[in-house]
């Protein structure tokens, strides 16, 4: 029987916090070089407030991190005094710069070894709510994956059944032939379980309470990526 292994990315194949921190510092420099005083007026906390207002007014895009960031840049640049057309153009340029830095990830130990091993026996794909691009040269993992389902590109996010349906349709498989690997008890574990796919919880820090409270039950649990091949093998029978 054919089996598709789908992977979450952020906090499953790398730690996302330092990636975003570096990217935000890069953006601060980018804006300050072009618009002196911008970074002081629109600090991270101010931009977060702008983002929350945008979400409050447009809850339907709350999952789309790329669109949200673009709108934050557009709004802040207009408030800074740029004409609307120039603000929109500069916001797009800023977003492109951010997206380049967004891909500069530091892989968890053993990621490449495990993906190389799994790729010998299974088809691999990505289902992510983030805007990392697994096929980007900085990430350097594109050769292991057949395709990626990104929330900001498809208009839906985990735990919605829609994203898992897209993966199943693209692979030409039933949900029962999918094993999803991720760190989030709700987005990954519950999302996969609700559509009838199998799930493996990458519980890197040994968390329990969060999963228990939400009633998220995975088919398997691993604390190291080195445990994945064995866990997948047991579920793929």
């Amino acid at each position: 029987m054919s089996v598709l292994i789908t992977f979450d990315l952020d906090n499953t194949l790398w730690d996302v916090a330092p990636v975003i921190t570096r990217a935000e510092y890069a953006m601060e420099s980018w804006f300050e070089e072009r618009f002196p005083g911008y970074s002081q007026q629109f600090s991270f906390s101010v931009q977060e407030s702008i983002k929350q207002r945008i979400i409050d007014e447009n809850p339907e895009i709350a999952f789309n991190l790329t669109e949200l960031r673009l709108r934050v840049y557009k709004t802040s640049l207009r408030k800074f005094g740029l004409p609307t057309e120039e603000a929109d153009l500069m916001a797009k340029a800023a977003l492109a710069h951010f997206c380049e830095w967004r891909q500069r990830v530091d892989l968890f130990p053993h990621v490449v070894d495990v993906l190389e091993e799994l790729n010998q026996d299974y088809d691999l794909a990505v289902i992510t709510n983030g805007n990392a691009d697994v096929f980007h040269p900085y990430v350097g993992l594109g050769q292991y994956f057949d395709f990626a389902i990104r929330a900001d590109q498809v208009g839906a996010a985990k735990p919605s059944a829609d994203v898992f349906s897209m993966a199943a349709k693209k692979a030409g498989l039933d949900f029962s032939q999918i094993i999803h690997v991720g760190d989030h008890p709700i987005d990954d574990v519950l999302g996969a379980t609700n559509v009838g796919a199998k799930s493996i919880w990458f519980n890197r820090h040994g968390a329990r309470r969060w999963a228990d409270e939400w009633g998220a039950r995975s088919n398997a649990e691993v604390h190291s990526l080195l445990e994945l091949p064995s866990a997948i093998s047991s579920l793929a029978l």
Side-chain angles (χ1 to χ4, degrees), residues 74-221:
K74 286 181 178 181
T75 300
S76 59
L77 286 167
R78 290 170 189 169
K79 288 179 177 292
F80 190 69
L82 270 67
T84 297
E85 185 175 350
E86 184 181 356
D88 291 354
L89 287 173
M90 293 307 300
K92 291 178 181 177
L95 179 66
H97 189 69
F98 171 83
C99 287
E100 283 297 301
W101 277 90
R102 176 65 174 88
Q103 315 310 324
R104 301 188 184 197
V105 302
D106 298 314
L107 301 176
F108 284 143
H110 315 300
V111 166
V112 171
D113 293 338
V114 169
L115 291 178
E116 283 185 347
E117 180 177 349
L118 292 174
N119 195 228
Q120 302 302 310
D121 299 311
Y122 309 101
D123 293 327
L124 309 183
V126 167
I127 303 178
T128 177
N129 285 358
N131 47 16
D133 179 4
V134 75
F135 297 105
H136 194 287
Y138 282 138
V139 179
L141 299 177
Q143 67 269 33
Y144 302 115
F145 294 99
D146 294 337
F147 61 87
I149 305 294
R150 278 175 47 176
D152 64 334
Q153 294 177 338
V154 301
K158 296 175 295 184
S160 169
D162 292 344
V163 290
F164 294 98
S165 295
M166 291 175 193
K169 183 177 181 179
K170 198 168 184 66
L173 299 174
D174 294 327
F175 288 126
S176 61
Q177 296 170 275
I178 294 176
I179 300 174
H180 182 67
V181 181
D183 71 290
H184 200 287
I186 307 307
D187 293 347
D188 294 308
V189 174
L190 201 59
T193 300
N194 284 345
V195 299
K198 297 183 178 70
S199 65
I200 297 178
W201 184 25
F202 179 42
N203 184 10
R204 186 165 177 257
H205 300 292
R208 281 255 56 101
R209 185 177 62 85
W210 190 17
D212 290 342
E213 283 182 355
W214 285 93
R217 294 289 182 271
S218 60
N219 297 98
E221 178 180 332

Side-chain angles (χ1 to χ4, degrees), residues 53-69:
R53 286 199 297 273
I54 292 171
I55 292 174
D56 291 342
E57 295 170 2
N58 307 272
E60 72 280 1
I61 68 165
F63 69 88
N64 191 333
L65 303 181
T66 303
E67 178 63 23
L68 276 174
R69 182 170 290 273

Side-chain angles (χ1 to χ4, degrees), residues 9-27:
L9 295 179
D10 292 335
N11 297 325
T12 296
L13 298 187
W14 56 73
D15 187 353
V16 72
V19 178
I20 299 301
T21 297
R22 287 195 297 265
E24 294 292 3
Y25 277 122
M27 294 313 301

Side-chain angles (χ1 to χ4, degrees), residues 8-55:
D8 172 55
L9 295 179
D10 292 335
N11 297 325
T12 296
L13 298 187
W14 56 73
D15 187 353
V16 72
V19 178
I20 299 301
T21 297
R22 287 195 297 265
E24 294 292 3
Y25 277 122
M27 294 313 301
E28 184 176 301
S29 298
W30 189 92
F31 278 113
E32 200 59 30
E33 287 174 5
R34 290 157 180 80
F35 309 106
Y38 174 94
S39 296
Q40 182 175 359
Q41 184 174 342
F42 295 98
S43 63
F44 177 76
S45 60
V46 172
Q47 290 190 45
E48 283 296 296
S49 297
I50 294 173
K51 182 172 75 172
Q52 188 55 57
R53 286 199 297 273
I54 292 171
I55 292 174

